[in-house]
Amino acid sequence: MLEGRFAESDTDRHVARRAELLDGDGGIPPLGPVKQWPVGTRPERVLPSISDELADNGLAVADFDGPLPPDDFIGLGEQLGSVMQERDPTVQPRVYRGGLLNLVTEIGHTADVAVQPFSTTGLAMHTEASGKPVAEQPRYIALMCLEPGDQDSSAQTVVVAMADIAARLSRDDLAVLEELRYHRNTAGPFIARQEEGRTVLSFRDFCGDELHWVHEGRSRSATEINDVLRRLLAAIYHPGSARVARWRRGRLVVLDNTRFMHGRTAGARETGAIRRHLQRLRIN
């Protein structure tokens, strides 16, 4: 077993690519296709279409004439699986019925990771709950837009398919990642694993923070492993890989957390007069 740490360098390929992606979403192709549903549509009517899109593509996008009522949104989540409860004490004032989290842009740019989901700061690409055991990671992330805010070209959700990331890595790189995990949580999964013949990633971009890791496979040097992590990050931010959900009132996006990584482009440094408001469910 080998322990080490990874810290990015300003000259790493992914650093400039990440800035280009997260500091603005110009030119990123949109998610699609988008299914149109009338307001008042019951969750049970939407479920077959959403389920088919998730099975075929790993994500589904649907537009309603207005946001689903919170109880209907939760009902849809409960039909897709089990809605996970939000346990973090710091978010409890923003939680409805235990599992629906209100993501309202309340503050401007911040370096405080704990409140970045409620800020205009861009969010680096990640797998949801990447350090948790697989059983505690959501299978699906569902997002409903109540208000896109007044900065319509910013603070958009971006996704990258794990299949595209894996295709840009060598078999040896993937072998290293399948024996590599975060140091702080030895109960967590390896960064890469195989499920149903495809590569699943449990990883987040630590940006300027150090990633402490443990390698549990055959003998490798720390330099080799860090080079693999650099290639992984370069693959995540490879030009042309990302797709964007351009938020509008009543838009629903559901993504498979075992098939897509996601993040968010930055908004203006200060909150707008009309604040962006999404609701999120994590479903397993």
Side-chain angles (χ1 to χ4, degrees):
M1 184 173 72
L2 178 67
E3 299 181 3
R5 59 184 183 177
F6 171 81
E8 70 180 24
S9 166
D10 289 343
T11 59
D12 290 344
R13 284 183 296 167
H14 73 275
V15 174
R17 293 176 180 178
R18 180 178 63 213
E20 183 177 355
L21 176 67
L22 299 184
D23 289 346
D25 66 349
I28 306 175
L31 292 177
V34 181
K35 178 75 173 180
Q36 304 286 331
W37 294 95
V39 70
T41 301
R42 299 297 305 160
E44 55 268 21
R45 185 181 172 196
V46 176
L47 183 64
S49 175
I50 298 293
S51 297
D52 287 348
E53 290 291 333
L54 289 172
D56 293 344
N57 307 312
L59 61 86
V61 186
D63 281 350
F64 298 84
D65 289 344
L68 290 177
D71 290 329
D72 286 354
F73 184 33
I74 293 172
L76 176 61
E78 289 173 340
Q79 293 184 70
L80 288 170
S82 176
V83 173
M84 301 175 70
Q85 298 294 288
E86 295 288 344
R87 304 295 187 189
D88 186 347
T90 64
V91 305
Q92 292 309 304
R94 304 178 177 97
V95 175
Y96 174 71
R97 280 183 52 187
L100 187 154
L101 179 62
N102 286 283
L103 295 167
V104 182
T105 303
E106 299 174 345
I107 58 177
H109 280 23
T110 177
D112 185 348
V113 175
V115 296
Q116 282 181 351
F118 312 101
S119 76
T120 61
T121 307
L123 295 180
M125 302 303 295
H126 61 282
T127 309
E128 190 72 18
S130 63
K132 298 280 189 182
V134 171
E136 297 178 24
Q137 294 183 10
R139 177 61 188 267
Y140 303 118
I141 307 294
L143 298 165
M144 169 60 67
C145 181
L146 277 68
E147 174 54 62
D150 55 8
Q151 302 170 17
D152 59 2
S153 65
S154 59
Q156 306 295 335
T157 299
V158 291
V159 303
V160 175
M162 294 181 187
D164 290 345
I165 298 168
R168 294 191 171 94
L169 298 171
S170 70
R171 181 58 248 176
D172 190 60
D173 285 347
L174 290 172
V176 170
L177 296 172
E178 288 167 4
E179 300 171 334
L180 189 67
R181 67 170 86 243
Y182 297 167
H183 183 279
R184 71 173 187 269
N185 188 355
T186 55
F190 292 112
I191 287 175
R193 66 184 188 275
Q194 296 298 312
E195 286 188 6
E196 300 175 354
R198 55 189 174 83
T199 299
V200 177
L201 299 171
S202 289
F203 183 73
R204 77 172 176 90
D205 175 6
F206 278 63
C207 298
D209 294 335
E210 288 188 339
L211 164 57
H212 292 251
W213 50 257
V214 174
H215 182 253
E216 299 183 6
R218 70 180 180 86
S219 179
R220 307 272 187 171
S221 71
T223 298
E224 285 180 289
I225 291 170
N226 285 338
D227 284 345
V228 171
L229 288 170
R230 286 189 173 88
R231 289 193 288 272
L232 170 61
L233 285 159
I236 290 170
Y237 291 105
H238 191 276
S241 294
R243 298 293 181 268
V244 65
R246 300 189 182 280
W247 291 111
R248 48 156 286 179
R249 276 180 54 82
R251 173 157 291 180
L252 169 71
V253 173
V254 186
L255 65 91
D256 188 329
N257 194 47
T258 70
R259 293 173 68 176
F260 285 89
M261 298 183 72
H262 66 285
R264 186 185 69 205
T265 62
R269 298 197 67 85
E270 302 297 332
T271 58
I274 302 174
R275 296 181 176 182
R276 176 183 184 266
H277 183 182
L278 304 183
Q279 291 182 329
R280 185 192 76 184
L281 298 174
R282 297 190 298 177
I283 303 159
N284 63 11

